[in-house]
Every structure is written in structure tokens, then in C-alpha cells.
Amino acid sequence: MDRQRVAHDQQSKFDDELLTYRAVVEAQHSFEAKLAALKERFLELVRMDNRQKAGRLFEPFLNDIFRLFDMEPRLSYSLEYEQIDGSLTFDTDDYIVEAKWWQEAIQPHHLYSFNEKVRRKGKNSLGIFISVNGFTSGAREAYRESTPFLTMEGLDFFYVLDGRLTLDELLRRKKRHANETGSCYFPATMFPGE
């Protein structure tokens, strides 16, 4: 009788472990499928001739990728004297987001303006300035030694969408770099081992 009970208990434990494993595999496949769909959307935005339309579609894309990585995104909102492109929560920090998909790289004065937006928020607020087409050398230099925000480029997103690293890892590395150096600029192409 004891052997039957032990065998039954072992079978039950095995069945439970198998169900858990299947759920994990299913969730991973679902995540990978969603990431692949986002990658295709991003590539469609890159190919669009109408850059204004691509820019408008970029905001929901950002919302979806931040949601996929459980970053509690909030779409754009307006305050009395300013427009905020969005916000998110990551590692218990709140970030305001500025997103641009312009043909040219971002100039220093755009970062100055964003810096003021971030500094007018709560004491622990941070920012993420997203420019798909990058930042001029002057913009990168302006926030080389002290910054309340991180920067992201199109290639950063492509590294995430291509599965080379997760969005969590990307932001953690950028934040650590900013904390250690004061520089807002640290693209995934500069990460060690990439």
C-alpha cells in the first residue's frame, strides 16, 4: 500500500511539474511571438515614406513594447504648460518619456528643454529621451557629465526586438552607465560583448 501511495505521489508531483513547465514554455512562446510582431511593426515604421504618420504610430508602438516588459506605460498627457509624450515605471523608478522620430539627429537645445521637464518633476523622477535617428555629437557632449535622463536610439530598440538583450537589461546598463559617468549617452552598440 505504501509503495502505491509513494508511486501515486511521485506521479502527481511529476504531473504538476510538467504542467508548470508547459505553462512556462507557452508563456515564453507567447512573449517571443509578441516581440516578433513588434519587430515587424518597427520595421514597417522604418520603411514608411510618410514620416509624420510613422511618428504618430511610434507612440502606440512604444506603449506596446513597454507594456510587454511590464513597465506600466502611460500614454502622452498634457500639463498646464507642457506636453509629456508618456511615462513608465522601471525598477521602482518613474520616468517621463520624450520620443522623436525625426529625419535628423537631436540637437542640444532639444535635450536642454527635456532636461528642464525632468527637473520640474518629483525629486526622484528620471527621463528617457528616445530619438530613433540618434543625437548629434553636440547633444551627446552637452550631457556627458551630469544628466537626469537616459537616451535611446533606434538601434537600441532593434537590439531588444532582435532578442540580443531585454529592454530591462538595456535600461539597467544605461542607468548604471549614467550613474557611474554622468553621461546620458550609452547605446547598445557600445555595450561590452555586443
Side-chain angles (χ1 to χ4, degrees):
M1 189 77 162
D2 283 341
R3 282 187 178 175
Q4 284 181 329
R5 172 166 274 161
V6 168
H8 179 358
D9 289 347
Q10 287 176 338
Q11 184 63 45
S12 292
K13 183 178 177 185
F14 175 78
D15 291 344
D16 290 344
E17 289 173 354
L18 186 59
L19 282 173
T20 301
Y21 173 76
R22 285 181 179 158
V24 168
V25 168
E26 187 176 308
Q28 182 65 31
H29 284 279
S30 175
F31 178 86
E32 290 170 0
K34 289 175 184 174
L35 193 61
L38 283 169
K39 180 179 178 180
E40 186 52 40
R41 278 175 60 193
F42 185 77
L43 293 174
E44 286 175 24
L45 293 174
V46 169
R47 292 187 293 261
M48 273 186 182
D49 291 331
N50 184 337
R51 299 313 310 151
Q52 190 173 19
K53 182 178 180 183
R56 282 192 314 269
L57 294 174
F58 188 47
E59 187 176 316
F61 165 84
L62 289 174
N63 190 54
D64 290 345
I65 194 167
F66 292 141
R67 181 169 278 115
L68 181 63
F69 284 91
D70 297 322
M71 294 184 180
E72 303 171 24
R74 178 179 176 193
L75 292 175
S76 65
Y77 58 96
S78 294
L79 300 174
E80 189 171 345
Y81 297 106
E82 66 187 1
Q83 171 70 30
I84 305 295
D85 288 348
S87 65
L88 61 91
T89 299
F90 172 66
D91 276 354
T92 71
D93 293 319
D94 294 318
Y95 292 80
I96 64 167
V97 176
E98 184 86 13
K100 304 291 182 205
W101 195 324
W102 293 344
Q103 288 186 338
E104 66 277 350
I106 294 298
Q107 297 287 334
H109 67 275
H110 297 111
L111 294 183
Y112 297 145
S113 175
F114 184 61
N115 180 55
E116 288 307 307
K117 281 184 181 181
V118 174
R119 291 195 186 278
R120 285 193 301 266
K121 303 302 172 268
K123 183 179 178 185
N124 295 322
S125 292
L126 300 168
I128 299 174
F129 196 114
I130 300 166
S131 171
V132 175
N133 288 320
F135 302 85
T136 64
S137 60
R140 294 189 306 260
E141 188 66 23
Y143 288 92
R144 186 174 58 87
E145 294 181 358
S146 177
T147 184
F149 58 87
L150 310 175
T151 58
M152 290 182 70
E153 300 177 324
L155 274 175
D156 291 327
F157 280 107
F158 194 77
Y159 270 52
V160 171
L161 296 168
D162 206 35
R164 297 182 196 187
L165 68 161
T166 66
L167 187 56
D168 305 48
E169 181 182 2
L170 177 82
L171 291 178
R172 277 191 194 99
R173 285 185 179 192
K174 286 177 174 287
K175 185 177 177 187
R176 182 170 185 174
H177 177 79
N179 288 338
E180 290 175 349
T181 68
S183 176
C184 70
Y185 187 74
F186 190 46
T189 55
M190 293 175 60
F191 289 1
E194 295 298 329

